[in-house]
Amino acid sequence: MPFIEIQDLTKQYGPSLYALRSVSATIERGEWVAVMGPSGSGKSTLLNILGCLDSPSEGKVSIEGKGLTLLPPGELARFRAEKVGFIFQQFHLVPYLTVVENVMLAQYFHSLAEEREAAEALRRVGLGDRLHHLPSQLSGGEQQRVCVARALINQPNLILADEPTGNLDEVNEAIVMSLLTDLHREGHTILMVTHDPEIGRMAERRLSLHHGRLTEEISTVAVEEHALADKLLQAVWRKQEDVGSGLVPAEKLPEFVANRATFLLMAQEGSITLEEGKIGFTGKGQRRSDELIRRHRLAERLFYETFALDEDHLHENALKLEPLWTPAVTEKICMFLHHPRTCPHGDPIPRGACCP
Ligand code: ADP
Ligand code: MG
């Protein structure tokens, strides 16, 4: 039995206005699915129906085998409070309640409000020291983290997120996305609506809505991801060299904005650290990026010395040749060139195991 089963869901607002047309899909327990599509394509309508905030004109939704459309209103409300955690683009925090009270409010519908649990959820999202502040005293990113804590307080099976990073800058977006990554890893099922392809790539699977109709998108190819990750590791390495520090502020790296998802994936698989908007290497990432920079600068050196290519064309020629070099070939070339210490542009070449 699938965790969520959506069958022929239609939502009609007027004689010819359809928000959803005959949408069918299944979602397994523990999956992270992104619902993509342009504005007005029906994403929020679908999410709201799954969260029992809205009802379909036709069709069925069942969660854990339970048909939502058949539940009486009281049971529907209880189901929503116990099983579903919402994260919205607009934070929907109560302005005159403190942060910890806002989280307890969500809990109130479920069980006895317990401040200790609410505080624990807030600590988890890094807001342990802001419990008694009002929402207006928090930044947008911090308010969204309160919403994540609020969504978590009842330990819901299903997390529904509607453009959860829509109002955030890139750094806060990375923080919220890594919280979602942690939740996914712990086994929560996540259905996330976004129009941003970079955010959609974080999910395991992407569904696409166009004018209320659903199509499934194919996932990205792993090989391309690796080549891109290697390119980004080198960009971080060079920026470290540039700013003279091991931690590079994300906003100083032009590649960050266009490749946010890949950076988050790299953090997940343990080659970089991404904390408080600063990018650094782990041991593994340092080794890999040293190797890549070394290979590139040796390739430039080879073109410069052996083929007497002029300086302006070294970089592009090196890029064509170097992907073919295994670590053993790189060592041989380093020896052949007598272990040069700098590239033709004067930048240092990281030392290798063969170097004296
Ligand atoms: P998305 O979240 O993808 O931007 P929505 O699900 O909010 O799209 O809306 C899908 C379509 O349904 C839009 O054309 C929107 O104008 C329409 N719609 C949504 N809610 C209502 C409503 N309450 N009354 C009339 N039309 C609505
Ligand atoms: Mg929407």
Side-chain angles (χ1 to χ4, degrees):
M1 177 173 55
F3 181 53
I4 303 178
E5 189 156 28
I6 302 166
Q7 285 172 292
D8 283 322
L9 211 60
T10 292
K11 178 76 182 180
Q12 192 174 2
Y13 281 113
S16 60
L17 179 56
Y18 287 86
L20 296 173
R21 287 172 192 261
S22 235
V23 167
S24 297
T26 55
I27 292 157
E28 300 299 334
R29 183 179 291 281
E31 259 196 308
W32 182 353
V33 176
V35 181
M36 322 274 308
S39 176
S41 57
K43 306 182 297 295
S44 294
T45 304
L46 178 62
L47 209 72
N48 290 343
I49 292 175
L50 290 176
C52 312
L53 295 174
D54 198 353
S55 57
S57 311
E58 277 171 59
K60 282 199 295 203
V61 182
S62 49
I63 297 186
E64 295 180 307
K66 231 182 196 181
L68 294 189
T69 33
L70 304 174
L71 291 181
E75 262 188 66
L76 212 61
R78 201 169 65 219
F79 171 85
R80 189 167 58 218
E82 287 178 4
K83 305 270 183 179
V84 188
F86 284 100
I87 305 167
F88 298 99
Q89 175 175 2
Q90 292 82 13
F91 313 129
H92 297 311
L93 294 171
V94 182
Y96 51 83
L97 294 180
T98 64
V99 161
V100 73
E101 285 164 350
N102 262 286
V103 175
M104 285 164 71
L105 188 67
Q107 194 185 26
Y108 177 75
F109 294 112
H110 177 47
S111 60
L112 280 178
E114 240 215 88
E115 185 163 350
R116 199 174 40 82
E117 276 176 32
E120 186 49 47
L122 284 160
R123 261 190 286 282
R124 200 168 155 194
V125 300
L127 293 174
D129 54 348
R130 310 300 293 275
L131 302 182
H132 305 295
H133 289 198
L134 293 173
S136 59
Q137 295 170 309
L138 267 50
S139 72
E142 288 161 347
Q143 290 184 46
Q144 191 58 304
R145 276 141 74 190
V146 176
C147 300
V148 174
R150 185 183 58 186
L152 286 181
I153 190 73
N154 298 331
Q155 288 297 319
N157 296 348
L158 176 61
I159 294 174
L160 297 175
D162 195 347
E163 305 273 6
T165 62
N167 280 329
L168 305 182
D169 59 47
E170 283 88 13
V171 168
N172 279 300
E173 176 190 88
I175 294 171
V176 168
M177 290 311 288
S178 59
L179 285 170
L180 285 178
T181 305
D182 291 344
L183 296 177
H184 173 237
R185 217 179 278 152
E186 286 164 20
H188 292 275
T189 308
I190 304 177
L191 200 71
M192 169 182 80
V193 159
T194 177
H195 67 276
D196 184 339
E198 270 302 295
I199 295 297
R201 280 178 53 204
M202 295 297 297
E204 292 167 297
R205 191 150 71 90
R206 278 156 291 280
L207 305 173
S208 193
L209 273 173
H210 286 277
H211 302 294
R213 288 189 196 282
L214 193 69
T215 50
E216 182 139 357
E217 285 188 3
I218 303 152
S219 25
T220 11
V221 185
V223 179
E224 283 174 20
E225 285 286 323
H226 279 293
L228 178 59
D230 276 353
K231 219 177 98 190
L232 296 174
L233 283 173
Q234 294 177 76
V236 174
W237 200 101
R238 292 200 178 89
K239 192 48 92 179
Q240 281 189 347
E241 191 177 45
D242 226 36
V243 300
S245 152
L247 288 177
V248 173
E251 74 262 17
K252 291 221 165 137
L253 197 69
E255 289 85 352
F256 181 72
V257 171
N259 298 286
R260 281 139 28 224
T262 309
F263 275 101
L264 287 161
L265 293 167
M266 284 156 69
Q268 249 177 69
E269 60 107 32
S271 57
I272 59 162
T273 57
L274 191 55
E275 272 155 33
E276 287 167 5
K278 293 201 173 69
I279 306 166
F281 286 129
T282 61
K284 176 175 150 187
Q286 187 72 58
R287 281 189 297 280
R288 178 70 184 153
S289 57
D290 281 350
E291 183 188 311
L292 292 167
I293 293 284
R294 174 175 151 73
R295 196 174 71 174
H296 181 68
R297 290 184 176 174
L298 282 170
E300 286 188 328
R301 188 99 217 168
L302 184 71
F303 276 111
Y304 186 66
E305 287 189 8
T306 318
F307 306 114
L309 224 61
D310 72 80
E311 272 185 41
D312 294 344
H313 296 109
L314 293 173
H315 176 69
E316 62 199 70
N317 278 290
L319 285 180
K320 282 183 216 148
L321 189 68
E322 66 191 51
L324 307 173
W325 294 6
T326 62
V329 172
T330 309
E331 299 256 295
K332 290 237 164 70
I333 286 170
C334 188
M335 280 187 258
F336 173 75
L337 295 169
H338 305 292
H339 312 287
R341 289 184 171 272
T342 56
C343 76
H345 308 96
D347 297 322
I349 298 176
R351 306 274 79 199
C354 68
C355 295

